[in-house]
Structure formats: structure tokens, C-alpha cells
Amino acid sequence: MIIVTKNDVTEQQIESIAEELSAKGLILQVNRGRQSCIIGLCGDVSCVDPGSITSKYDFVEQVLKVSEPYKKANRRFKPENTVIKIGDFEIGNPHRLALIAGPCSVESEEQICHIAENVKALGAKMLRGGAYKPRTSPYSFQGMETEGLFLLKEAHNKTGLPVISEITSPSHIEQFLDYVDVFQVGARNMQNFELLKELGKTNRPVLIKRGLANTMEELLMSAEYVMNGGNEQVILCERGIRTFEDATRNTLDISAVPMLKRMTHLPVVVDPSHSSGISWMVEPLAKAAVAAGADGLMIEVHNNPAAALCDGKQSITIEQFDILVEKLRVIAAVEGRTI
Ligand code: PEP
Ligand code: MN
């Protein structure tokens, strides 16, 4: 349920209604616009009678039922885009396109620092690199774990780039806080609710990747878990879903970009690398994502894809990243955006 106030509502008036509703056990999300204010109500709203609210409080314009199960992530609760600041760059800013790039996995100090320096010079604003890898086979490379996190920090110290890395267990949160700027929740852990609840207690941004067979609403409910814990800095990532088509690793659901942007105020990024699983397809999918309105892209870049320990087939080279970024600048400019 949302309560929309009339223009020029005072803080005192908002406090008076907030007091009554909080006493009913509801959680309030107050979003002040330029003039009016939207008060979102989370919890059991059956105790709220819209008629008596409008008659009791003359500064209330209307009371609307929100049928969607996601509340805090709902654009109806907060019409303006959420802009998340990470270091000195922003994600969700409609005038900017955020580029996140780096290898699938951290493999060595030389590798991660070399890639970090190069992608930074070409326009990337955040470095990606997996330290804990959720692999289909237990016999595949599992990531460098703690050592990988340490090397990401080294790359950050050398370049100033903030870093994002995948977290697979709530027990790693403490350790990650020392090394990582953004938590990545992978597709396979999108509905690891215990992990999401614990990340909700931190004050670090969380990027949640859409699960292999999850709907947009389910993705938003995962965001809701983090937000409900008090951490509202959530970024959503479309990374392709499983369909009957097997020519590509996954199927990029490009329509998820405009649809999610309408459903939620949270930033939406696209990962064209896992979407296709094929390096030559990263460019067309990345271009499509920008044209469709994505707030950013997360791209796997490797200095030597043929020798990569993970996801080499979908990794582009630094040279290919260079060419891609120049093309993305042109597409972004069509919508008045810069990298
Ligand atoms: C990754 O980003 O390397 C990764 C494992 O992605 P996903 O969770 O989307 O498969
Ligand atoms: Mn990968």
C-alpha cells in the first residue's frame, strides 16, 4: 500500500501519520519528492483502512493498494531511479553508462593487475573477478579463494578501481568486507535466502544476478530480501536465462531491461558474457543492452582467453574490449549518456 500526500506536506504531518502506522507494526518507507511525499507500507496492511486515512489526515491525496509482492524495490514506492555510489562513480545515473569489466576468475597478481590497468584506461569503472567460483563440476577450478580476494585488493590499490566479487556463503561476509566494494550474488545463489538476509545487514552494495530459471518478479523478491534487512543498495543483473535454445549458453532476455526498469527503481545491468557464452557475441549483445536502456554492463575480459582457467570461450581480449567501448560510446550518446 502507498500513501501519496498533497504538495507541501510538512515533516510534522508525515511524522504524525508515520507514528500511527508504525504502531500497527508496519514498516514505512518514506520517499520525499520535490513537493509531495510517497509513504510505502510494508507488512500486513489489512489493518489499514484507506477511507479512514484520507478522512483523518487532510494532507493525504490518495491511498493506493500495491498488488505486487515486491514493495521496497517497487517503482510505485519510489518513482525516482536509485543511484548507487561506489567510490567516485555512480550506477543508476540516467546520464551515465557504468562499465564493469575483468576476468571471470582471479588467476594471479600479474593477470588481475594487468587486466585492471588496461580496462581502467579504456573506460571501465569497476573491476570484476571471481575468487570463489560456483562451478558445475567439483573437479573444475574453484577459484583462488582468500588469495584471490587479496589480489583483487592489490589491483584496487594499484588502479583505484572498486572491485566486485561473487560471494557464495554467509560465512564469507566478514572476510569480503575487507577486500570487496560490491558483493555479487551469482545466478545459482539468487534464492539463497540466508545469504540475502545476511547481506541485508551490511551497508555495502549487492549485485544480484538473475537465476537460470527465475522470473523477473522472483529476482525482485530476492532484492526485497536484501532491502528488507535495511540495505537498499541493490543492483540487478540480467545474465541470460535457460530456454530450449542451445546454440547459446543462455538466452539473453533483452526485454527484461525495459520491463525491470519499469517495475523497479533499482539499477539494471546486463552481463552479455554469460548470456551468450561466446566471445564474438558479446559485442552485439552489449550494444543491444545499451540500446534497451541498461544502466551498465558487466563484461568478462581476459588477457589470454585461450588460457583462462574459467569461461575463456566467452571472454573477450583487451583489444576487443577497446573496440567495443568505442562503439558503446556512440550508442550511449543516442540516449544522451556517457561512459
Ligand atoms: C560469473 O559472473 O562469473 C558467474 C559465475 O556468473 P553467473 O552467476 O551469472 O553464472
Ligand atoms: Mn564467468
Side-chain angles (χ1 to χ4, degrees):
M1 191 172 273
I2 54 175
I3 296 172
V4 185
T5 71
K6 291 183 178 153
N7 288 348
D8 304 323
V9 64
T10 66
E11 286 305 324
Q12 244 177 346
Q13 287 171 321
I14 295 172
E15 263 170 44
S16 64
I17 195 168
E19 203 176 314
E20 175 181 335
L21 296 167
S22 307
K24 290 184 196 279
L26 295 168
I27 295 161
L28 271 60
Q29 200 192 31
V30 180
N31 278 297
R32 261 201 159 284
R34 247 159 272 139
Q35 290 182 306
S36 68
C37 173
I38 294 176
I39 305 169
L41 307 182
C42 301
D44 180 9
V45 291
S46 61
C47 57
V48 181
D49 171 33
S52 51
I53 293 283
T54 36
S55 53
K56 182 167 174 193
Y57 298 100
D58 60 1
F59 57 86
V60 170
E61 179 77 44
Q62 53 180 342
V63 181
L64 301 167
K65 289 222 163 94
V66 175
S67 52
E68 297 88 9
Y70 50 96
K71 309 290 180 190
K72 293 191 173 194
N74 201 314
R75 203 180 262 286
R76 297 216 278 154
F77 267 51
K78 179 173 180 277
E80 322 84 58
N81 290 329
T82 286
V83 180
I84 297 175
K85 227 172 142 31
I86 305 158
D88 57 6
F89 102 99
E90 289 179 335
I91 182 154
N93 179 335
H95 307 295
R96 307 281 289 178
L97 176 72
L99 286 187
I100 306 165
C104 179
S105 316
V106 181
E107 298 172 6
S108 68
E109 180 174 353
E110 272 160 25
Q111 175 243 21
I112 193 70
C113 291
H114 175 74
I115 296 172
E117 277 157 11
N118 281 279
V119 294
K120 181 186 176 183
L122 298 172
K125 294 290 188 289
M126 183 150 69
L127 177 68
R128 63 149 289 147
Y132 290 86
K133 297 303 303 176
R135 305 301 300 276
T136 303
S137 165
Y139 309 117
S140 304
F141 173 59
Q142 301 288 307
M144 291 180 79
E145 305 184 342
T146 309
E147 177 70 4
L149 293 177
F150 180 72
L151 296 180
L152 278 171
K153 186 82 178 181
E154 286 278 306
H156 164 80
N157 291 342
K158 283 200 175 140
T159 60
L161 281 180
V163 298
I164 176 168
S165 197
E166 178 166 355
I167 181 142
T168 52
S169 163
S171 64
H172 297 159
I173 292 179
E174 278 303 309
Q175 183 191 30
F176 267 60
L177 285 170
D178 290 336
Y179 297 103
V180 160
D181 299 280
V182 179
F183 291 109
Q184 175 176 326
V185 175
R188 289 153 195 84
N189 273 305
M190 187 203 92
Q191 287 187 313
N192 181 339
F193 300 118
E194 291 311 314
L195 177 62
L196 298 172
K197 281 189 217 167
E198 290 303 316
L199 292 172
K201 295 179 192 162
T202 72
N203 61 0
R204 243 354 99 102
V206 181
L207 178 143
I208 308 178
K209 298 186 101 180
R210 181 177 178 184
L212 276 68
N214 287 108
T215 63
M216 293 180 222
E217 185 173 288
E218 286 164 344
L219 173 60
L220 291 173
M221 292 313 289
S222 293
E224 200 75 18
Y225 263 95
V226 177
M227 299 175 88
N228 190 38
N231 183 358
E232 306 209 339
Q233 301 181 86
V234 180
I235 302 157
L236 305 170
C237 180
E238 163 61 40
R239 45 77 76 204
I241 49 173
R242 270 246 168 117
T243 67
F244 56 83
E245 181 54 70
D246 62 2
T248 48
R249 183 176 177 184
N250 292 291
T251 299
L252 174 61
D253 182 5
I254 198 76
S255 59
V257 178
M259 185 57 91
L260 285 170
K261 292 292 294 175
R262 180 165 289 233
M263 294 163 91
T264 180
H265 51 84
L266 298 172
V268 176
V269 310
V270 168
D271 170 348
S273 309
H274 292 85
S275 293
S276 62
I278 313 168
S279 63
W280 63 260
M281 205 181 275
V282 170
E283 180 183 314
L285 296 189
K287 290 192 290 194
V290 174
D295 292 295
L297 294 167
M298 181 149 89
I299 301 173
E300 286 188 344
V301 178
H302 199 281
N303 52 316
N304 182 3
L309 296 180
C310 186
D311 286 350
K313 282 202 188 103
Q314 67 194 35
S315 300
I316 60 171
T317 62
I318 291 162
E319 294 71 27
Q320 287 166 327
F321 184 68
D322 184 7
I323 295 165
L324 172 60
V325 174
E326 288 319 305
K327 293 185 179 177
L328 294 176
R329 283 187 204 283
V330 179
I331 297 176
V334 173
E335 296 289 342
R337 308 170 72 195
T338 54
I339 289 175

